């Protein structure tokens, strides 16, 4: 495996890990408008992700940093072409983080109602826009010979990208609902599980539409047919098992299955793209790949040494935080947020 291959793999792992971990964060944020019957229950839900949400976003920051250092042409083309999209994603992430911190600092319907609305907006916008951006990236955008991307409105906002964006939102919402039922006890746990069961058919329609539309709108199935068909088959099994484990009240397994659907989706995306990062809709010769978008061999070698030294500590810290805060919460516990 070359260093170019290795860093493509690491970036794929970082983005996939981000959507697995931050996915339930986004889902819990959106579910605050569906599950709780009162303010105490809403606080309980926010506290289920309190110890994790900011650490989960480190995966996104690390992925962006790795893109910048390992594949600067990819970083420059993507961030300049998707400038407005990433600005709104960033605003959504900031709005959500600020809302978590400020909501419990004062009392009053106007105060909490404002921050509740911000949590909903900040939890919906990033997965929606990320889904649209990745869908446009894999469908093809007008990258020119000099690696300039001049994307028009319809290149990012069209039927396919909107559908993929809604599907990513649906996956995150389902992942968040199973996480709430896994981390709480009492009425909130039961309501989250019931709502997840009712939402499952909607998610099934979104996922089926995503597979069919991706088959016709992209070249992923043509390039990686056996893997893509296998991923779809495993995804169907994970989807059915989600329904089964929810019915059996085995929330941990249900959470694992919703996570598996997210992992399969993004792993399929990167496998289908490899060795490309971005597909040019003008000419395939203008695609950004791990070869024409990379840094020098010396830079990749230095990055590999640094990553191999620091990454184990980061992963160990995050695993430790999940172990420490694994206990289920109830409305009677001390609620920080």
């Amino acid at each position: 495996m070359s260093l170019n291959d290795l860093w493509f793999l690491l970036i794929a792992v970082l983005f996939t890990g981000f959507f697995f971990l931050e996915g339930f964060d986004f889902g819990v944020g959106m579910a605050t408008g569906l599950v709780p019957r009162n303010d105490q229950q809403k606080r309980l839900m926010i506290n289920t992700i309190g110890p994790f949400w900011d650490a989960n976003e480190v995966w996104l920051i690390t992925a962006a940093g790795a893109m910048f250092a390992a594949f600067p042409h990819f970083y420059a083309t993507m961030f300049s072409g998707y400038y407005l999209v990433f600005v709104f994603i960033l605003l959504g992430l900031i709005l959500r983080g600020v809302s978590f911190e400020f909501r419990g600092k004062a009392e009053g319907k106007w105060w909490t109602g404002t921050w509740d609305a911000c949590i909903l907006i900040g939890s919906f916008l990033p997965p929606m826009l990320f889904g649209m951006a990745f869908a446009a990236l894999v469908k093809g955008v007008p990258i020119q010979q000099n690696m300039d991307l001049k994307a028009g409105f319809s290149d990012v906002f069209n039927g396919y990208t909107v559908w993929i964006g809604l599907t990513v939102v649906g996956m995150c919402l389902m992942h968040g609902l199973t996480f709430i039922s896994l981390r709480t006890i009492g009425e909130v746990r039961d309501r989250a599980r019931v709502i997840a069961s009712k939402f499952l058919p909607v998610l099934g329609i979104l996922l089926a539409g995503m597979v069919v539309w991706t088959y016709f709108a992209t070249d992923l199935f043509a390039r990686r047919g056996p893997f893509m068909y296998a991923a779809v088959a495993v995804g169907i099994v994970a989807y059915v098992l989600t329904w089964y484990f929810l019915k059996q009240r085995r929330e941990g397994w249900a959470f694992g299955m919703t996570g598996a659907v997210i992992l399969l989706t993004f792993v399929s995306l990167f496998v289908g793209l490899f060795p490309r990062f971005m597909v040019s809709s003008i000419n395939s010769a203008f695609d950004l790949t791990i070869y024409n978008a990379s840094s020098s061999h010396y830079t990749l070698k230095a990055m590999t040494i640094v990553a191999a030294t620091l990454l184990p500590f980061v992963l160990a810290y995050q695993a430790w935080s999940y172990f420490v805060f694994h206990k289920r919460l109830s409305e009677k516990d001390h609620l920080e947020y």
Side-chain angles (χ1 to χ4, degrees):
M1 176 184 290
S2 70
L3 291 178
N4 301 60
D5 296 335
L6 174 65
W7 278 98
F8 178 91
L9 176 63
L10 288 176
I11 290 173
V13 168
L14 287 167
F15 272 113
T16 304
F18 168 74
F19 282 103
F20 179 88
L21 295 173
E22 192 72 359
F24 67 74
D25 279 2
F26 292 142
V28 171
M30 288 185 279
T32 56
L34 298 172
V35 176
R37 291 187 183 276
N38 53 52
D39 187 66
Q40 188 69 2
Q41 292 185 353
K42 189 169 290 185
R43 290 191 63 195
L44 172 62
M45 290 173 57
I46 295 173
N47 275 268
T48 61
I49 56 174
F52 312 123
W53 68 267
D54 49 355
N56 292 341
E57 289 182 1
V58 170
W59 287 70
L60 176 63
I61 297 169
T62 308
M67 285 167 53
F68 174 76
F71 301 101
H73 298 298
F74 170 41
Y75 181 92
T77 302
M78 186 173 183
F79 277 74
S80 60
Y82 289 160
Y83 184 77
L84 280 179
V85 173
F86 286 122
V87 165
F88 281 106
I89 288 174
L90 188 60
L91 289 176
L93 293 174
I94 293 172
L95 191 65
R96 206 171 71 100
V98 170
S99 303
F100 289 149
E101 297 293 340
F102 282 8
R103 185 183 185 281
K105 303 299 182 186
E107 295 182 356
K109 276 192 173 180
W110 180 87
W111 179 266
T112 55
T114 300
W115 294 118
D116 286 345
C118 291
I119 289 173
L120 289 176
I121 295 170
S123 299
F124 172 82
L125 268 185
M128 181 72 196
L129 294 177
F130 266 125
M132 294 176 66
F134 275 108
L137 182 148
V138 74
K139 183 174 183 289
V141 284
I143 301 172
Q144 301 180 19
Q145 188 173 13
N146 58 0
M147 298 187 182
D148 276 350
L149 170 58
K150 296 182 179 178
F153 182 82
S154 61
D155 290 312
V156 180
F157 295 88
N158 54 61
Y160 177 67
T161 61
V162 171
W163 187 276
I164 300 301
L166 290 174
T167 305
V168 174
V169 168
M171 287 191 289
C172 290
L173 178 58
M174 177 59 72
H175 202 35
L177 288 168
T178 56
F179 183 76
I180 295 167
S181 64
L182 175 64
R183 284 274 290 145
T184 61
I185 57 177
E187 186 182 8
V188 172
R189 174 188 180 184
D190 295 334
R191 279 182 55 76
R193 189 177 56 248
V194 170
I195 292 173
S197 298
K198 291 180 179 178
F199 181 68
L200 201 54
V202 178
L203 179 62
I205 294 171
L206 288 170
L207 290 170
M210 178 180 72
V211 172
V212 173
W213 211 328
T214 299
Y215 180 87
F216 290 106
T218 74
D219 62 358
L220 298 191
F221 280 88
R223 290 170 54 85
R224 308 289 180 191
F227 177 87
M228 299 299 290
Y229 290 120
V232 171
V234 175
I236 292 172
V237 172
Y239 173 83
V240 173
L241 287 177
T242 302
W243 169 81
Y244 173 77
F245 288 127
L246 283 173
K247 191 176 180 181
Q248 297 295 317
R249 301 191 174 196
R250 299 173 70 176
E251 292 95 349
W253 284 98
F255 176 73
M257 292 302 104
T258 56
V261 173
I262 291 177
L263 291 177
L264 284 167
T265 299
F266 285 94
V267 168
S268 300
L269 168 77
F270 284 103
V271 169
L273 274 176
F274 183 82
R276 305 166 301 174
F277 274 117
M278 299 182 75
V279 178
S280 173
S281 58
I282 298 175
N283 189 326
S284 61
F286 304 156
D287 292 347
L288 292 189
T289 70
I290 63 173
Y291 305 111
N292 64 11
S294 73
S295 294
S296 66
H297 179 77
Y298 180 81
T299 302
L300 295 178
K301 186 176 179 182
M303 290 176 59
T304 304
I305 295 171
V306 173
T309 305
L310 298 180
L311 196 59
F313 295 98
V314 177
L315 294 176
Y317 161 76
Q318 196 148 25
W320 177 252
S321 68
Y322 276 94
F323 174 75
V324 170
F325 297 104
H326 73 280
K327 179 177 170 289
R328 288 180 183 267
L329 297 176
S330 74
E331 296 178 52
K332 297 177 182 178
D333 289 319
H334 169 71
L335 301 178
E336 182 72 23
Y337 295 93

